[in-house]
Amino acid sequence: EILLTQSPGTLSLSPGERATLSCRASQSVSSTHFGWYQQKSGQAPRLLVSGASSRATGIPDRFSGSGSGTDFTLTISRLEPEDFAVYYCQQSVTSPWTFGQGTKVEI
Amino acid sequence: QAQLVESGGGLVKPGGSLRLSCAASGFTFSDYFMSWVRQAPGKGLEWVSYIDGRGSTINYADSVKGRFTISRDNAKNLLFLQMNSLRAEDTAVYYCTRANYVLDVWGQGTTVAVSS
């Protein structure tokens, strides 16, 4: 099983600041099968970034993904009020598909 | 645009059964893997199962293997999750997702509560 470890667990920032979220895999993950998701309170998750660096349809360009192998990063260049949420990384290279434990971005 | 709508959740006693459904629209359903993901109250996301477009490749999380069965009806654009021998720890919101290398379309979720 590929374990995904996200850090930090919680990120306390203000609107306009830059957020850097990390996801580390226990073994190498194909970028094609790696994604970042955003979940706002009371809502279903939504895909933000796929293939490690490709923004999903409709996702603002302040969101960017990078990384490969075992280390991946999601960057939010300038936080907007609506960006305060929980972010998850996920891999679907091998079964069981796994998620990181989440990073909460809070004010 | 692609849309997924789950149904079938509810309150069930431990040991009971429930069948979740997911209606897909806006895309060629049979072209895609589909998956179920759940989220227990206050917890993170947990992948449950996936099925390929033809229904021939299926996988389950160890936590549900032998109790849950995923299936699909491509003629009706429906995905199912048959859940048997339910336990308290199966209490969660269950999301239907389209799997296109990543989980690119999500339903709104259906709530399953297992309690006596």
Side-chain angles (χ1 to χ4, degrees):
Chain A
E1 175 175 335
I2 297 178
L3 297 179
L4 298 178
T5 303
Q6 292 186 240
S7 61
T10 303
L11 204 47
S12 298
L13 295 168
S14 300
E17 290 192 299
R18 181 185 186 91
T20 303
L21 288 67
S22 174
C23 179
R24 177 162 289 178
S26 59
Q27 55 188 278
S28 186
V29 172
S30 160
S31 296
T32 304
H33 297 84
F34 183 88
W36 287 97
Y37 304 82
Q38 177 193 63
Q39 187 178 33
K40 298 180 182 179
S41 181
Q43 297 184 17
R46 68 165 176 167
L47 177 68
L48 287 179
V49 172
S50 64
S53 60
S54 299
R55 278 187 300 278
T57 303
I59 301 302
D61 60 8
R62 63 181 181 273
F63 291 91
S64 63
S66 62
S68 63
T70 60
D71 289 291
F72 297 89
T73 300
L74 176 70
T75 302
I76 311 171
S77 58
R78 290 178 55 188
L79 283 163
E80 297 287 342
E82 61 267 29
D83 299 336
F84 292 92
V86 180
Y87 294 82
Y88 296 93
C89 57
Q90 182 260 337
Q91 67 82 23
S92 49
V93 172
T94 60
S95 181
W97 295 356
T98 49
F99 289 89
Q101 81 278 19
T103 290
K104 182 178 182 181
V105 178
E106 64 176 23
I107 298 176
Chain B
Q1 83 247 28
Q3 188 175 7
L4 300 171
V5 179
E6 303 95 335
S7 60
L11 175 64
V12 61
K13 289 181 168 53
S17 298
L18 214 52
R19 189 193 198 203
L20 305 184
S21 298
C22 170
S25 60
F27 63 99
T28 304
F29 182 64
S30 59
D31 283 351
Y32 292 89
F33 277 61
M34 297 295 294
S35 175
W36 290 96
V37 173
R38 70 183 180 182
Q39 186 170 38
K43 302 297 184 182
L45 301 171
E46 179 189 16
W47 167 77
V48 173
S49 179
Y50 71 71
I51 185 170
D52 76 340
R54 296 182 183 180
S56 56
T57 299
I58 287 172
N59 245 309
Y60 300 98
D62 284 347
S63 57
V64 307
K65 201 172 292 184
R67 301 187 299 122
F68 289 13
T69 302
I70 192 171
S71 62
R72 63 192 298 160
D73 183 338
N74 286 343
K76 296 181 178 179
N77 290 348
L78 290 171
L79 176 72
F80 303 104
L81 186 67
Q82 177 66 44
M83 304 186 296
N84 298 331
S85 303
L86 282 161
R87 306 166 179 167
E89 54 265 34
D90 296 318
T91 294
V93 176
Y94 285 73
Y95 296 102
C96 168
T97 74
R98 188 176 79 173
N100 186 18
Y101 295 105
V102 292
L103 307 178
D104 65 345
V105 181
W106 294 66
Q108 85 288 351
T110 188
T111 300
V112 172
V114 184
S115 174
S116 54

